[in-house]
């Protein structure tokens, strides 16, 4: 599709073509095929093999454009692209035939005696244009259509509406990224990579006892979200991941993420019922023991309770500074943090207001579990539980 702007309108011209290439495979043993499969090369190939690499050993011969098998008919594309801008004169076309490539017209600039200067200029422009551009591949039938579309309209939709739709699409797909993060944390993928360094998909799947295909897709999803880095050697944690997602890091959100996955996700899954009924949907949460979300955690095992406390502590690390600075609290010398859990907000308050003393009030079992977080912060003497 050739696009150009003229008088604040978008002109488009479409050319369609196709290229056919025949590939003859050799007689192959099952052992050779399995070796090729285990190499991993065919897993991301549309045709199940890469003729430009190891897959070339499977092929007996090719009749047609080799690059078309690789994925793009470059020769035919360049020819059509040149014709799209400057249709050449007949005497500037030279036919070249190859044994394995169908007859294709290629442009060759003749001597000054064979063509005039204006044709030379056009042909030089055509040569430059073959170095870039876009064309939609389709059937042999060629279509030359011209449309005039206002620049502020795309696909029949005003640009401002397109931007709104993009934001809405981001919201619609947001849950997918959240679930990728939840599952990666639950499987402790980030902990594994922190301990082992760069790992291949196979090594990670073996350590996690997960499927090879599923592990690869999850790791790729994490890489696309910027949580992992991917190179030829495998996958490794991004800097942000080591800082905030490894379970034992200083600023880890690991336990809060597990809390979101195990308890908040099921509740929001039933948001429609909550709106219609006007009631809590905690009964949909697995292993619930009482009908109050926070009280329920204290009826669970010691491990679950401690994880809940750590979850609240890690989430407070994210919000405490904003809460502490939202208002000027300098005139208050004593502050009571009701439901303060581990005192994350309290520690931020005494850092911002050194003259302040903070009393953290919470349930007895929560205060008892505070030591499980192994908190060691400055100005702790100004905080009491």
């Amino acid at each position: 599709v050739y696009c150009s702007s003229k008088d604040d309108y978008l002109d488009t011209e479409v050319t369609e073509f196709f290229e056919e290439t025949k590939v003859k495979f050799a007689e192959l043993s099952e052992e050779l095929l399995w070796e090729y499969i285990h190499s991993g090369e065919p897993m991301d190939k549309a045709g199940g093999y890469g003729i430009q690499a190891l897959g070339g050993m499977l092929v007996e011969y090719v009749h047609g454009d080799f690059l078309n098998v690789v994925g793009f008919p470059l020769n035919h594309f360049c020819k059509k692209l040149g014709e799209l801008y400057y249709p050449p004169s007949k005497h500037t076309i030279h036919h070249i035939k190859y044994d394995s490539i169908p007859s294709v017209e290629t442009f060759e600039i003749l001597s000054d005696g064979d063509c005039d200067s204006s044709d030379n200029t056009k042909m030089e422009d055509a040569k430059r244009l073959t170095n870039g551009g876009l064309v939609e591949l389709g059937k042999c039938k060629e279509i030359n259509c011209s449309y005039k579309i206002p620049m502020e309209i795309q696909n029949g939709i005003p640009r401002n509406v397109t931007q709104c739709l993009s934001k809405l699409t981001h919201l619609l797909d947001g849950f997918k990224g959240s679930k990728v993060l939840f599952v990666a944390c639950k499987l402790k993928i980030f902990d594994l990579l922190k301990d082992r360094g760069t790992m291949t998909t196979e090594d990670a799947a073996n350590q996690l006892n997960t499927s090879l295909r599923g592990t690869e897709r999850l790791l790729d999803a994490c890489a696309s979200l910027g949580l992992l880095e991917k190179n030829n050697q495998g996958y490794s944690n991004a800097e942000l991941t080591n800082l905030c997602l490894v379970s034992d890091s200083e600023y880890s959100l690991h336990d809060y993420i597990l809390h979101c996955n195990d308890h908040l996700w099921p509740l929001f899954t039933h948001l429609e019922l909550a709106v219609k009924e006007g009631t809590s949907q905690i009964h949909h949460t697995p292993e619930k023991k009482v009908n109050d979300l926070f009280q329920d955690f204290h009826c669970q095992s010691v491990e679950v309770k401690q994880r809940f406390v750590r979850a609240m502590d890690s989430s407070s690390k994210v919000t405490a500074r904003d809460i502490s600075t939202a208002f000027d609290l300098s005139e208050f010398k004593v502050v009571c943090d009701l439901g303060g859990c581990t005192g994350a907000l309290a520690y931020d308050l005494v850092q911002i207001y050194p003259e302040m003393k903070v009393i953290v009030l919470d349930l007895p079992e929560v205060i008892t579990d505070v030591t499980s977080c192994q908190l060691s912060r400055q100005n702790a003497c100004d905080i009491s539980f």
Side-chain angles (χ1 to χ4, degrees), residues 35-80:
E35 286 185 4
Y36 183 59
I37 291 171
H38 290 316
S39 73
E41 183 180 273
M43 299 307 176
D44 62 344
K45 303 296 187 296
Y49 72 103
I51 194 171
Q52 71 276 22
L54 293 176
M57 68 182 179
L58 311 178
V59 175
E60 186 172 319
Y61 66 80
V62 176
H63 182 71
D65 188 346
F66 175 83
L67 292 179
N68 191 37
V69 183
V70 175
F72 189 75
L74 183 61
N75 188 285
H76 201 163
F77 170 77
C78 292
K79 172 179 175 290
K80 291 298 179 184

Side-chain angles (χ1 to χ4, degrees), residues 99-115:
D99 292 338
S100 60
I101 302 179
S103 176
V104 177
E105 294 179 344
T106 59
F107 300 118
E108 290 187 357
I109 302 301
L110 304 181
S111 64
D112 292 340
D114 294 326
C115 61

